[in-house]
């Protein structure tokens, strides 16, 4: 049976709740204050925590903060028990991550119903996460080996020719092979950087205390950054004539490194998934509080369902299209935008193209 941790500084109340739970065949463990409750939660890892809010030493709010900030206990459902179920208590509890609360006095039926509801919801979340993990693992098993091996094979292949046939090669041939080795090396470097950045952004997303370093920086002249990156990307794809720019001056509250990464990944997708000769339009706009830019291509486009399924290591219709990439670029861009308090919106139509709009403080 599920293990329930009951944290209550009033002994009679704690014993009453524990008795109710035992009568319904739950495994129960009690703590007489918030400090003891935190330690038990970390060592016993209960399936659910029932806690009073107003306690001496460590109150329910401090306990909840400690539970949510510890990776080992962060996902444990927490139900508050309180005699002061006013709107302010509810709001503060939910903002800190409480799952539910019970107002004193409550019946045994109220208690058991609240616990069963939260346990069922938590079980469904865990099952959904497990399915997504299995899907991610299956997708990675297909995309990751291919994406690393392709540039690596190019590097090793050309290096092997130069190593074995250097005496017979003309200088111009050596130069071409060196250029291809360099190009494949840069591609491999980008893959590795994207994997590392994806892991970093996922960590920052789940740990609020690691977000503090994100908000004290700025990229002035964001329009200049976009113009330089767009022009370079168009040259890289041999499509300078396809690029259209309509930019307004502005700055963004994000580091130049991260802002450039967002723009670069979105531009790379726009050129990669549209044909030469079709336009790529890049526009920006600046208001008092926000800077926004959009990148529109006339490429393959996506269905509404595909847009909703965008994520790391997800590729669409790979059986029909020979494509490079592991789906990380757009995922990283979206996560960086969200971490900085912005939004990334996608509108797309199959056969007509895709527009990505980013708005940042």
């Amino acid at each position: 049976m599920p293990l329930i941790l009951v944290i209550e500084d009033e002994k009679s109340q704690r014993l009453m709740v524990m008795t109710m739970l035992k009568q319904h065949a739950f495994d129960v463990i009690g703590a007489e204050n918030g400090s003891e409750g935190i330690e038990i939660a970390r060592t016993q890892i209960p399936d659910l925590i029932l806690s009073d809010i107003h306690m001496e030493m460590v109150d329910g709010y401090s306990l909840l903060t400690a539970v949510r900030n510890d990776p080992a206990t962060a996902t444990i459902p927490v139900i508050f028990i309180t005699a002061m179920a006013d709107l302010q208590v509810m709001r503060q509890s939910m903002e800190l991550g409480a799952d539910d609360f019970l107002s004193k006095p409550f019946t045994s039926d109220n208690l058991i119903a609240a616990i069963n509801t939260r346990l069922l919801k938590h079980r469904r979340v865990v099952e959904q996460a497990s399915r997504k993990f299995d899907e991610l693992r299956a997708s990675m098993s297909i995309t990751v080996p291919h994406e690393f091996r392709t540039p690596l094979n190019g590097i090793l292949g050309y290096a092997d020719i130069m190593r074995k046939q250097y005496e017979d090669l003309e200088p111009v041939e050596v130069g071409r092979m060196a250029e291809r080795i360099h190009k494949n090396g840069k591609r491999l470097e980008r893959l590795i950087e994207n994997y590392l950045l994806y892991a970093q952004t996922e960590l920052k997303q789940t740990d609020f205390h690691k977000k503090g370093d994100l908000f004290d920086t700025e990229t002035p002249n964001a329009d200049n950054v976009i113009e330089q990156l767009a022009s370079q990307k168009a040259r890289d794809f041999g499509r300078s004539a396809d690029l259209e720019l309509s930019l307004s001056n502005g700055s963004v509250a994000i580091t130049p490194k991260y802002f450039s990464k967002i723009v670069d990944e979105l531009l790379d997708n726009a050129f990669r998934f549209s044909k030469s000769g079709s336009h790529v339009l890049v526009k920006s706009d600046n208001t008092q509080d926000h800077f926004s830019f959009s990148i529109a291509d006339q490429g393959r486009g996506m269905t509404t369902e595909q847009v909703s399924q965008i994520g790391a290591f997800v590729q669409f219709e790979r059986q029909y299209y020979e494509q490079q990439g592991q789906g990380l670029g757009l995922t990283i861009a979206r996560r960086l935008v969200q971490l900085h308090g912005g939004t990334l919106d996608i509108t797309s139509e199959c056969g007509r193209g895709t527009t990505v709009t980013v708005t940042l403080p």
Side-chain angles (χ1 to χ4, degrees):
M1 288 297 293
L3 174 63
I4 311 298
L5 169 60
V6 179
I7 307 171
E8 169 64 70
D9 56 357
E10 293 186 14
K11 184 177 181 180
S12 59
Q13 183 75 13
R14 183 173 69 253
L15 293 177
M16 180 191 73
V17 172
M18 293 176 68
T19 299
M20 289 180 180
L21 295 175
K22 289 178 180 178
Q23 288 175 346
H24 287 80
F26 285 104
D27 294 328
V28 187
I29 186 169
E32 62 184 23
N33 57 61
S35 178
E36 182 182 356
I38 293 171
E39 184 60 28
I40 292 175
R42 288 172 176 168
T43 56
Q44 300 288 332
I45 312 296
D47 295 288
L48 184 142
I49 297 173
L50 279 169
S51 176
D52 190 17
I53 293 181
H54 303 287
M55 299 180 290
E56 296 182 0
M57 296 176 61
V58 176
D59 65 10
Y61 299 132
S62 299
L63 176 140
L64 180 58
T65 300
V67 167
R68 290 291 178 253
N69 286 336
D70 188 333
T73 59
T75 62
I76 297 175
V78 176
I79 299 177
F80 274 146
I81 301 173
T82 177
M84 300 174 61
D86 58 28
L87 186 60
Q88 183 177 355
V89 170
M90 292 172 57
R91 182 180 295 112
Q92 186 173 358
S93 301
M94 295 304 176
E95 287 177 351
L96 290 173
D99 296 275
D100 200 353
F101 63 93
L102 283 170
S103 301
K104 298 177 183 179
F106 51 83
T107 66
S108 176
D109 289 342
N110 295 148
L111 175 65
I112 301 306
I115 290 176
N116 285 335
T117 297
R118 290 301 146 187
L119 288 175
L120 177 60
K121 182 178 180 179
H122 182 65
R123 184 163 60 250
R124 287 175 176 171
V125 170
V126 171
E127 290 172 352
Q128 183 181 31
S130 179
R131 286 195 301 271
K132 287 184 176 295
F133 178 77
D134 289 340
E135 292 170 1
L136 176 62
R137 182 170 53 187
S139 182
M140 286 181 65
S141 68
I142 297 172
T143 62
V144 173
H146 171 78
E147 293 304 323
F148 276 105
R149 284 174 181 165
T150 299
L152 186 58
N153 286 340
I155 293 170
L156 294 176
Y158 287 117
D160 193 51
I161 293 173
M162 295 172 67
R163 180 175 65 91
K164 294 179 178 179
Q165 303 178 26
Y166 66 92
E167 292 182 342
D168 301 324
L169 295 174
E170 297 292 334
V172 67
E173 293 177 309
V174 173
R176 288 172 182 168
M177 291 183 185
E179 178 63 29
R180 289 168 181 168
I181 289 174
H182 181 264
K183 183 177 180 180
N184 280 295
K186 295 297 291 184
R187 178 180 168 188
L188 189 58
E189 179 186 46
R190 181 177 183 137
L191 283 170
I192 294 171
E193 288 179 348
N194 275 0
Y195 277 101
L196 294 175
L197 184 55
Y198 173 70
Q200 292 167 4
T201 55
E202 288 300 299
L203 178 61
K204 288 181 183 290
Q205 178 69 13
T206 56
D207 191 340
F208 181 81
H209 296 290
K210 294 183 181 294
K211 298 181 185 178
D213 61 329
L214 297 176
F215 302 107
D216 299 326
T217 55
E218 181 183 6
T219 298
N221 302 317
D223 52 305
N224 290 341
V225 174
I226 295 174
E227 181 177 8
Q228 292 172 10
L229 289 171
S231 298
Q232 182 60 54
K233 187 65 67 174
R235 287 194 297 270
D236 292 344
F237 280 86
R239 296 178 57 185
S240 295
D242 296 341
L243 178 63
E244 295 183 24
L245 297 173
S246 178
L247 304 176
S248 301
N249 296 333
S251 62
V252 286
I254 180 175
T255 65
K257 174 185 175 182
Y258 285 159
F259 182 67
S260 296
K261 184 63 176 176
I262 293 168
V263 176
D264 182 73
E265 290 296 341
L266 298 180
L267 285 167
D268 193 80
N269 281 348
F271 282 103
R272 186 179 303 279
F273 297 111
S274 63
K275 294 181 179 180
S276 179
S278 64
H279 295 299
V280 173
L281 174 61
V282 184
K283 298 168 39 177
S284 70
D285 187 36
N286 187 36
T287 65
Q288 184 176 356
D289 299 319
H290 293 89
F291 178 87
S292 64
F293 70 92
S294 64
I295 301 174
D297 65 62
Q298 298 174 328
R300 178 191 314 171
M302 294 177 285
T303 65
T304 302
E305 181 181 5
Q306 288 173 339
V307 171
S308 68
Q309 293 175 350
I310 288 172
F313 312 105
V314 176
Q315 295 179 329
F316 303 119
E317 299 176 331
R318 187 170 185 129
Q319 66 272 34
Y320 300 113
Y321 301 99
E322 176 57 33
Q323 59 192 48
Q324 299 174 356
Q326 66 287 81
L328 280 180
L330 185 54
T331 302
I332 290 171
R334 171 177 279 170
R335 181 68 77 224
L336 286 173
V337 169
Q338 292 172 340
L339 285 171
H340 290 83
T343 59
L344 188 152
D345 298 312
I346 303 172
T347 57
S348 190
E349 185 178 351
C350 280
R352 300 293 296 273
T354 301
T355 299
V356 180
T357 302
V358 172
T359 303
L360 286 162

